Amino acid sequence: MEACNAYYYSTRDPLGRDGDFTTAPEISQMFGELVGAALADCWKRAGAPSDAIYAELGPGRGTLAADALRVLRAAGFEGEVHLVETSPVLREAQSKAVPEAIWHDGLADLPVRPLLLVANEFFDALPVRHFVGVMERRVMIAAGGLAFDRDGEIIERSPAREEAMHTVATSVAQCGGVALIVDYGHEKSAPGDTLQAVRGHRYVPVLVDAGEQDLTAHVDFEALGRVAREAGSTVSDVVTQGDWLNSLGIGARAASLATANPKRVPELEKAVDRLCHEEQMGQLFKVMAIHSPDWPAPAGFAQ
Ligand code: SAH
């Protein structure tokens, strides 16, 4: 999964209608603007530390960063922008959207400073491991193709995600800051195989065309929350993307954009529906925040 995704992301921009999948920030500017507003509000209530940085994991085309930073800059945030991205193709797109950015290959390279961090659909792309009982399920070459070496009830684990979360949560606990993790997944750990492949906006078999399709698995937010707590961060409840965006005021933002340009009303209504409706992204996608015990909790979560 790691090798396939490294190849996949380094050889293409997979986002948008002509690509393989579309993400929330690519649907509407409102998504990134509300992320920016939530981070700006938290930063201000923490005393607006001038050494804080904006950091993003797997920023895609840089659309979320550009929309969030517009709001953060308007709120007086002048800090640096640090992007963790391995794909040269996507770094190129990000440099157009966020010219001032500084890039890193891995999370461990982020500076030791208060973080205003966001990760949208980053954790789902990190590799998972499958276990049947105590045996790890592996992929083997069979009849010229790839096949799993065993079946049974699958327990899915992701040491790579836990390591990434440990790094973020340790930094936040020690230096201050807040991190917003947005991804599709489940609030409670449960057995089951959630590995999936998407190509051209359709689900396809996972072991076909290795490296040519987007491989992801649902994020186990309970496991990530446990790791973050152990590292000393405070962890929010897990809320649905629909509830989160509604409580951050997506309705008011859509109304204000519609007043500024009434021709946009149909597009804005469609975007709110796609982002928030429970049959679209509103229910499947979840949001979890972690923050330093010295920082206030970000808006949008039940306290
Ligand atoms: N956040 C963006 C893109 C999501 S796609 C959006 O919402 O539109 C996943 C992103 O994570 C891509 O930018 C991809 O190149 C990056 N990525 C995947 N695996 C990574 C890894 N191991 N290290 C750094 N970036 C990675």
Side-chain angles (χ1 to χ4, degrees):
M1 187 175 177
E2 185 175 9
C4 288
N5 275 349
Y7 177 81
Y8 174 79
Y9 282 109
S10 68
T11 50
R12 74 206 74 202
D13 172 354
L15 295 160
R17 194 177 301 205
D18 299 331
D20 290 328
F21 60 96
T22 301
T23 55
E26 299 298 332
I27 290 172
S28 170
Q29 68 187 89
M30 294 184 286
F31 185 82
E33 288 170 346
L34 291 169
V35 167
L39 294 176
D41 164 65
C42 198
W43 172 72
K44 283 203 159 179
R45 285 187 288 125
S50 60
D51 58 342
I53 59 169
Y54 175 88
E56 193 176 329
L57 313 182
R61 290 178 174 166
T63 309
L64 166 53
D67 292 334
L69 281 161
R70 209 167 45 245
V71 176
L72 275 158
R73 298 292 189 219
F77 173 75
E78 292 177 356
E80 291 173 0
V81 177
H82 290 261
L83 305 179
V84 176
E85 175 61 71
T86 40
S87 160
V89 179
L90 291 172
R91 277 193 185 194
E92 177 68 26
Q94 291 156 21
S95 72
K96 296 200 177 90
V98 200
E100 74 267 41
I102 299 160
W103 281 269
H104 305 280
D105 285 330
L107 263 163
D109 306 328
L110 283 175
V112 183
R113 307 244 215 99
L115 294 178
L116 304 174
L117 183 143
V118 59
N120 185 62
E121 292 210 49
F122 170 75
F123 281 87
D124 66 8
L126 298 184
V128 292
R129 306 180 77 149
H130 282 171
F131 294 87
V132 179
V134 295
M135 298 299 288
E136 182 159 15
R137 172 158 91 158
R138 292 174 183 276
V139 177
M140 59 183 187
I141 296 172
L146 299 176
F148 289 114
D149 71 351
R150 70 191 67 235
D151 279 321
E153 190 182 47
I154 302 293
I155 302 289
E156 209 167 68
R157 296 204 193 289
S158 181
R161 290 177 187 162
E162 293 188 11
E163 190 187 326
M165 184 46 116
H166 178 81
T167 306
V168 173
T170 304
S171 175
V172 160
Q174 289 173 1
C175 310
V178 56
L180 299 171
I181 314 298
V182 188
D183 232 308
Y184 65 103
H186 37 274
E187 200 183 328
K188 295 274 169 224
S189 304
D193 172 1
T194 75
L195 181 64
Q196 65 182 40
V198 166
R199 188 170 191 174
H201 301 268
R202 287 172 195 277
Y203 292 109
V204 287
V206 290
L207 297 184
V208 172
D209 281 343
E212 301 295 344
Q213 45 198 28
D214 182 50
L215 283 181
T216 58
H218 285 211
V219 171
D220 177 351
F221 281 94
E222 186 179 354
L224 291 189
R226 187 172 56 245
V227 169
R229 250 178 238 108
E230 281 165 10
S233 279
T234 305
V235 179
S236 76
D237 287 346
V238 177
V239 299
T240 65
Q241 176 171 297
D243 286 350
W244 182 65
L245 290 174
N246 277 314
S247 80
L248 290 177
I250 194 169
R253 184 65 189 133
S256 120
L257 289 169
T259 306
N261 186 351
K263 285 201 193 106
R264 291 187 65 188
V265 169
E267 164 220 323
L268 292 163
E269 281 177 355
K270 198 169 159 213
V272 171
D273 192 59
R274 282 184 75 184
L275 292 170
C276 298
H277 195 281
E278 57 188 32
E279 281 164 21
Q280 306 256 347
M281 297 175 81
Q283 181 92 45
L284 178 60
F285 279 74
K286 310 285 191 303
V287 192
M288 186 176 85
I290 68 164
H291 64 91
S292 155
D294 300 336
W295 275 46
F301 300 88
Q303 298 303 315

